[in-house]
Amino acid sequence: EVQLVQSGAEVKKPGESLRISCKASGYSFTTFWINWVRQMPGKGLEWMGRIDPSDSYTNYSPSFQGHVTISADKSIGTAYLQWSSLKASDTAMYYCARIDQLWGQGTMVTVSS
Amino acid sequence: QAVVTQEPSLTVSPGGTVTLTCGSSTGAVTSGHYPYWFQQKPGQAPRTLIYDTSNKHSWTPARFSGSLLGGKAALTLSGAQPEDEAEYYCLLSYSGALWVFGGGTKLTVL
């Protein structure tokens, strides 16, 4: 089955670091870009950036450049989204997506003191 | 950064037809923006309905169609069903390296 399976919900404190994952299966991981999308509570979708898993080349939205890092490990078919220092404003649902046809189930990240 | 605009809300009667649009602050939307359309229902992940302006997936109901209309990308729903009530988002590509979502259209079937 073609799918993207994301890691589970996280509750963190401001200033902590975090890495969430997105594991692909059922297709050639290196053939399609993986995108990360943020959805803050009650708000719309925001494109954060994407990675080409074949060479780990990335593009970022200016709104997220420098605040998050997107990476991938093609040996295990997994993409990552990470923060070095979380803020309360990072509280949101995060989706990975092969936007042409495939979305992960989402990872809820809650940042609260 | 470009701003992508959608109608905040629209209402359609069951069996009726409605067109959702997606505009760009940089000018006319073209096929070179590779317009995508997504449907999201409450509590669910988005689902891709239309890619590259007008291409459908096997799961895309035939009543949905994508096009370019008057300098915008358009999603037309012909014969609305109650289950089509959802939030709809468009996504545009800018030079391939930057993608921007529209703010979403809340579609009510009433």
Side-chain angles (χ1 to χ4, degrees), chain A residues 41-81:
Chain A
K43 302 298 184 182
L45 304 177
E46 300 175 89
W47 185 80
M48 302 175 71
R50 65 176 187 169
I51 187 164
D52 179 348
S54 67
D55 61 6
S56 290
Y57 181 78
T58 53
N59 298 131
Y60 290 92
S61 164
S63 300
F64 293 93
Q65 179 88 47
H67 297 290
V68 297
T69 301
I70 297 171
S71 61
D73 185 341
K74 62 183 178 182
S75 69
I76 57 172
T78 301
Y80 302 97
L81 179 66

Side-chain angles (χ1 to χ4, degrees), chain B residues 43-83:
Chain B
Q44 297 183 16
R47 179 173 75 148
T48 305
L49 287 180
I50 301 286
Y51 63 98
D52 292 353
T53 307
S54 58
N55 293 291
K56 301 181 186 181
H57 287 295
S58 58
W59 57 80
T60 305
R63 59 185 179 272
F64 288 95
S65 62
S67 65
L68 296 175
L69 194 64
K72 297 182 179 182
L75 177 70
T76 299
L77 171 57
S78 303
Q81 300 298 310
E83 60 265 31

Side-chain angles (χ1 to χ4, degrees), chain B residues 62-110:
Chain B
R63 59 185 179 272
F64 288 95
S65 62
S67 65
L68 296 175
L69 194 64
K72 297 182 179 182
L75 177 70
T76 299
L77 171 57
S78 303
Q81 300 298 310
E83 60 265 31
D84 299 328
E85 189 161 291
E87 193 86 24
Y88 292 83
Y89 296 92
C90 67
L91 176 67
L92 300 180
S93 169
Y94 291 88
S95 301
L98 174 65
W99 294 76
V100 181
F101 279 101
T105 296
K106 182 177 175 60
L107 182 66
T108 300
V109 180
L110 188 61

Side-chain angles (χ1 to χ4, degrees), chain A:
Chain A
E1 182 185 3
V2 179
Q3 59 180 353
L4 296 173
V5 178
Q6 297 185 232
S7 49
E10 301 275 359
V11 180
K12 305 293 271 187
K13 291 183 173 11
E16 292 185 333
S17 62
L18 175 65
R19 187 177 78 168
I20 62 176
S21 66
C22 169
K23 182 167 178 59
S25 60
Y27 74 95
S28 174
F29 180 63
T30 55
T31 301
F32 299 91
W33 294 78
I34 293 289
N35 297 261
W36 285 96
V37 175
R38 183 175 79 175
Q39 188 167 39
M40 300 177 77
K43 302 298 184 182
L45 304 177
E46 300 175 89
W47 185 80
M48 302 175 71
R50 65 176 187 169
I51 187 164
D52 179 348
S54 67
D55 61 6
S56 290
Y57 181 78
T58 53
N59 298 131
Y60 290 92
S61 164
S63 300
F64 293 93
Q65 179 88 47
H67 297 290
V68 297
T69 301
I70 297 171
S71 61
D73 185 341
K74 62 183 178 182
S75 69
I76 57 172
T78 301
Y80 302 97
L81 179 66
Q82 67 182 63
W83 296 258
S84 59
S85 181
L86 286 160
K87 304 175 183 178
S89 58
D90 293 317
T91 294
M93 180 73 82
Y94 293 88
Y95 295 100
C96 65
R98 237 186 72 183
I99 57 171
D100 63 320
Q101 66 168 255
L102 194 59
W103 289 72
Q105 82 276 20
T107 296
M108 184 67 208
V109 174
T110 303
V111 184
S112 174
S113 55

